[in-house]
Amino acid sequence: MKGSTYRRCYCRDADGKPLGAKCPKLSNRKHGSYSVRQELPNRPDGTRRAFNRAGYATATAAQADLDRVRSLLALADADDEAVRTQLADLLEQISRNKSPLPDVEATRRSLGSGRSLTARLTVGEVLDDWLAGKRGRRSAIARDEGNIRIHLKPHIGDMRVDRLRVADLTAMFNAIADANVETAEANAARRAVIAELAEIPWKGRENRARRKALKATIAEMPPFRRMVGPATRQRIRSTLRAALNDAIAQQIITFNPAAHVSLDAARRPKPVIWTQEHIAYWQRTGEPPSPVMVWTPEQTGRFLDRVQDDRLYALWYLIAFRGLRRGEACGTRWIDVDLTSLQLTVAKQLVVDGWEVYEDQPKTDAGARTIALDVATGSVLRAHRTQQDRERREWGDAWTDTGRAFTREDGSWLNPKALTGRFRDLCARAALPPIRLHDLRHGAATIAHAAGADLKTIQEMLGHSSIAITANTYTSVLPTVGREAAEGAARIVPRSRRADGAPWSPLMTGDDLPSAQALLMLTGPTPPPGHVPKRL
C-alpha cells in the first residue's frame, strides 16, 4: 500500500485561499512542517481510508512514524483479513483522535491474546500484558503474580488505565489496611476453635460428637490469612508502578499514579534476644515480644545438643554458626565444600514455587561467596558425609545422586518449605522458645559479633550487598556483651562518691573501685599538699 511523507505549510493568498505547493517560502527548509500519509485496508463496505498525521518538525520524525505504521500493518498475514481489519481500525482511530502510536511488540501481544485493539485498556489488561512479558527470577515473578491476583485486580482491575488516579490508589491501599482488622478477627476466631478442639479428649461419645461439631465449624471458617503490613503494601505498589512504567514506555498512558501515592514506610523489625524476661512474657501472653527473635548462645547450644542425633544435624549446625540461608543450605553441593582448606562456596540455592522446588543462583551477587569453616564444623560435615555414604549403600540402585550435601534419605532434593516445618517441630521438642529457621541466621551473626568479628566480616559471611543491612538488621547485642560494655564505660569516669551516693571506702576492692589508670589519665597526677591553683 502506498505511503509517503511530505512537507506543507498553511500560508494563504490575499483572497484567503491556501497556497499549498505554490508557497514561495517552501524553498526554505525551516518553513512549514512535515506530514505522513499511509493508505490502510479498505473498510468492510469497500470505502477507502488512510492514516494521516501532520505537524512533524523534521522529515526524520515523520519517516519514523511512517515506518511504525507500516510495521503495525505488517503484523497481519497477507491472508488474515480479520487481523488486517483490526489493525486498520486501530490506525484509523488513532489518526482521528490524534493519539500516540502504540508499541509494535505490545500490539503483537494484544493480537496474540485476542484482545480488541480499539477498546480502552483496563488496569487488569495492562497488568496481564506486563506480567506476560516480564523476565527475571521465578520467585520475583511469582511474587508479582500474587500481588496482581490477590490485591490489584480485585480493587482496580476493571478501571480504565488512562483514568487511574492517585486518589483511586489511596482508596485501594486504605481498603487493604482496613481489611487487616477483619483478618485478625477471623484468625483469632479460628485459633480459638482449634485450641478448644485440642483440649477435648478423644474417648467418650459426647467428646467425639463435640469434636466432630468443632471440626465442621473449622471447615466453614475462612483459612488463616496473613496480615498485609506496610512492607507488603510497598511491594504491591512496586508491582503496580513497574507495570504502569511499562505502559508509559508503550505510550498507553502518560502519567504513573503509583509513583505519587503516599504509604507508610516499611521498617525492618529488630531482632530481639530471648532473655528470661522475654520468655516469661511469651509464656504469659502466648505472643513473642518481636516478630524476629534470636536465641542466646546457651539456647543455641541446647538446641544443637537435642538434635545431634537428627540426620540433618550438620545442616542445623551449619546455619547456626555460619548463617546460610535456608535455600543456600539445601542447595549446597559437595563440590562446593573443601574440607581440607575448610571453606564452603555458596554457588546455588533451592527455591520453592508453590510446592515445586527448582535450582537457582544465589539471591544477590554478594550471595555468591566463600565462607570460612572452623575445625568443629569441618568435623561435623565429615561425619555427615560418612552418614550419607551409608545411606547411599543402603538404597542401592534407588538412590538419587543429586550431588547435594543435604538430601532426603533417598538422595533427592530437600524441600526448603518442609525443612521449615521440621525445624519448628524440633524446636518444640527441645522445649525452647520459638524462633523461625531464618532466625538461626540472625543468631549466627549475633554470635559472630559477640565473638569479636567486625561488621565487614559478618557482611561477607552472610552475603549482604550492603554493610548497612548487616548493621541495622542482623546483629543483636547479647546481654553479657552489652553488660560488659556498660561496666567498662562506668569504670572510665572517676567519681569521689559512688553512683548510689555512698562514699568510696578503703575496704572496697575489685570492680567496686575505679580504675587507677583511668583516674590518672583523666585527672592527671595528684597535686602536692598546700598547692593553690592559679586563677585564670
Side-chain angles (χ1 to χ4, degrees):
M1 291 182 182
K2 294 182 179 180
S4 64
T5 63
Y6 57 93
R7 187 158 59 99
R8 61 176 295 181
C9 70
Y10 298 93
C11 297
R12 297 177 181 270
D13 61 14
D15 297 329
K17 296 180 180 180
L19 291 174
K22 297 179 180 180
C23 178
K25 296 181 181 180
L26 284 178
S27 59
N28 183 352
R29 291 186 177 182
K30 295 183 179 180
H31 183 67
S33 61
Y34 290 85
S35 300
V36 168
R37 177 179 175 82
Q38 172 65 49
E39 290 187 7
L40 301 175
N42 292 343
R43 297 186 183 92
D45 60 1
T47 58
R48 298 176 66 182
R49 54 181 167 176
F51 176 89
N52 294 286
R53 179 157 293 180
Y56 295 97
T58 63
T60 303
Q63 186 63 46
D65 266 11
L66 179 61
D67 291 342
R68 181 180 290 192
V69 170
R70 289 172 173 172
S71 297
L72 289 168
L73 290 172
L75 293 176
D77 296 332
D79 58 347
D80 196 340
E81 193 63 32
V83 175
R84 284 165 54 85
T85 301
Q86 283 190 66
L87 291 168
D89 291 343
L90 171 66
L91 290 171
E92 184 181 21
Q93 184 184 84
I94 290 172
S95 177
R96 182 173 58 250
N97 298 335
K98 299 181 180 179
S99 304
L101 285 169
D103 180 76
V104 176
E105 289 304 317
T107 305
R108 191 194 305 276
R109 290 199 298 268
S110 297
L111 288 171
S113 64
R115 192 176 65 241
S116 171
L117 298 181
T118 55
R120 292 293 186 179
L121 288 174
T122 64
V123 176
E125 290 170 334
V126 169
L127 289 170
D128 288 340
D129 281 350
W130 172 76
L131 189 64
K134 183 176 173 61
R135 298 292 179 268
R137 287 183 173 276
R138 287 178 57 179
S139 57
I141 295 174
R143 182 188 64 199
D144 289 328
E145 187 277 331
N147 290 338
I148 292 171
R149 173 174 46 84
I150 298 172
H151 301 291
L152 294 173
K153 275 192 172 182
H155 286 93
I156 59 174
D158 295 332
M159 297 183 64
R160 277 177 48 172
V161 69
D162 58 334
R163 293 183 177 177
L164 188 64
R165 297 292 177 263
V166 174
D168 301 322
L169 301 186
T170 301
M172 177 188 72
F173 283 113
N174 287 341
I176 291 174
D178 293 342
N180 282 337
V181 178
E182 298 179 5
T183 300
E185 292 176 351
N187 288 347
R190 184 178 180 89
R191 194 174 290 110
V193 176
I194 292 176
E196 183 180 355
L197 176 65
E199 294 177 356
I200 299 177
W202 287 83
K203 295 183 178 180
R205 180 178 299 176
E206 294 182 358
N207 291 336
R208 288 195 296 270
R210 179 59 180 160
R211 290 181 64 86
K212 184 176 181 180
L214 289 177
K215 288 181 179 180
T217 301
I218 293 172
E220 295 175 357
M221 297 176 112
F224 286 119
R225 291 180 296 171
R226 289 185 176 181
M227 306 287 281
V228 184
T232 303
R233 292 197 290 273
Q234 291 282 359
R235 286 192 288 268
I236 295 170
R237 194 257 296 268
S238 177
T239 297
L240 178 61
R241 182 170 54 196
L244 295 182
N245 280 339
D246 186 65
I248 290 176
Q250 298 176 31
Q251 298 184 347
I252 297 173
I253 57 175
T254 59
F255 172 71
N256 189 341
H260 301 277
V261 66
S262 297
L263 295 178
D264 294 335
R267 294 180 175 85
R268 290 178 178 269
K270 285 284 188 179
V272 176
I273 301 292
W274 271 117
T275 62
Q276 291 301 320
E277 292 77 9
H278 291 152
I279 294 176
Y281 174 85
W282 164 65
Q283 292 174 338
R284 184 173 65 256
T285 64
E287 296 291 336
S290 170
V292 181
M293 300 300 299
V294 179
W295 282 334
T296 64
E298 293 77 16
Q299 292 162 344
T300 302
R302 282 170 52 195
F303 170 77
L304 293 175
D305 289 343
R306 293 295 298 270
V307 302
Q308 195 159 3
D309 294 331
D310 187 83
R311 63 176 301 275
L312 295 178
Y313 167 69
L315 182 144
W316 313 125
Y317 192 100
L318 192 62
I319 296 177
F321 281 100
R322 306 314 297 159
L324 268 68
R325 297 179 177 93
R326 180 184 70 174
E328 293 172 348
C330 293
T332 298
R333 304 167 299 182
W334 281 119
I335 61 173
D336 302 324
V337 181
D338 187 345
L339 294 178
T340 303
S341 59
L342 293 178
Q343 289 184 331
L344 184 149
T345 301
V346 178
K348 298 290 182 181
Q349 67 168 340
L350 297 187
V351 184
V352 180
D353 182 10
W355 197 249
E356 178 190 358
V357 181
Y358 64 93
E359 183 183 81
D360 202 354
Q361 300 300 317
K363 184 177 179 181
T364 62
D365 291 340
R369 61 200 187 276
T370 298
I371 300 173
L373 304 176
D374 58 281
V375 174
T377 302
S379 299
V380 169
L381 289 173
R382 289 189 188 91
H384 177 73
R385 173 177 274 181
T386 301
Q387 169 193 307
Q388 192 180 78
D389 290 340
R390 183 169 59 253
E391 292 175 344
R392 180 186 291 106
R393 290 192 297 271
E394 292 173 353
W395 279 83
D397 294 338
W399 173 265
T400 303
D401 191 2
T402 60
R404 304 289 173 184
F406 306 106
T407 64
R408 300 171 66 182
E409 289 86 347
D410 63 350
S412 58
W413 286 357
L414 285 173
N415 188 310
K417 189 175 293 185
L419 197 68
T420 298
R422 184 181 183 90
F423 176 76
R424 191 183 303 115
D425 293 340
L426 291 173
C427 288
R429 294 177 189 175
L432 287 166
I435 65 170
R436 305 169 305 162
L437 177 55
H438 192 76
D439 294 338
L440 266 187
R441 176 173 162 85
H442 292 272
T446 301
I447 292 171
H449 186 47
D454 57 53
L455 288 181
K456 185 62 179 177
T457 301
I458 298 174
Q459 175 199 352
E460 294 176 352
M461 180 184 79
L462 298 179
H464 289 154
S465 57
S466 169
I467 197 170
I469 300 176
T470 311
N472 295 336
T473 307
Y474 284 86
T475 53
S476 306
V477 178
L478 295 173
T480 53
V481 177
R483 187 163 53 251
E484 290 175 1
E487 293 290 352
R491 285 194 295 267
I492 288 293
V493 179
R495 298 288 302 275
S496 60
R497 300 179 66 85
R498 287 174 38 170
D500 56 8
W504 293 109
S505 169
L507 298 179
M508 291 180 182
T509 58
D511 291 339
D512 290 333
L513 288 173
S515 167
Q517 184 179 1
L519 287 172
L520 184 60
M521 289 172 58
L522 294 172
T523 64
T526 304
H531 173 75
V532 178
K534 295 182 180 179
R535 293 183 179 272
L536 298 178

